Amino acid sequence: MKRVSILGSTGSIGVNTLNVLDSLGDDYKVIGLAAAKNVTLLIKQIKKFRPSAVALIDEEAAEKLKKQALKLKVKV
């Protein structure tokens, strides 16, 4: 199994990359996601891919994500 982190996971390239990884089945494990500030989409990605760490550029978005109690490491 290959472990990958996706930078810009909520942008168009990141979303398409996650779709491709999802279609490849168990060959890949998403261990990290990074985004600017789209918390709504990022939460959906977290629930689907279960990464061990998430990073956000926007501090307010990071605080909003921390309040979701998703049991993961959130970095700003």
Side-chain angles (χ1 to χ4, degrees), residues 53-66:
V54 174
L56 284 154
I57 292 172
D58 186 84
E59 289 183 37
E60 288 181 35
E63 290 303 318
K64 185 176 177 181
L65 182 61
K66 286 178 184 178

Side-chain angles (χ1 to χ4, degrees), residues 7-47:
L7 305 177
S9 70
T10 60
S12 61
I13 294 172
V15 168
N16 286 320
T17 301
L18 288 170
N19 288 337
V20 170
L21 291 174
D22 190 38
S23 72
L24 295 173
D26 294 334
D27 291 340
Y28 292 88
K29 166 76 174 135
V30 176
I31 61 167
L33 296 172
K37 60 183 179 180
N38 188 341
V39 175
T40 304
L41 179 53
L42 187 58
I43 289 171
K44 290 178 185 178
Q45 293 173 345
I46 291 167
K47 289 179 179 179

Side-chain angles (χ1 to χ4, degrees), residues 1-5 25-32 49-52:
M1 176 184 315
K2 295 179 179 136
R3 301 179 308 160
V4 297
S5 294
D26 294 334
D27 291 340
Y28 292 88
K29 166 76 174 135
V30 176
I31 61 167
F49 294 98
R50 300 286 183 201
S52 56

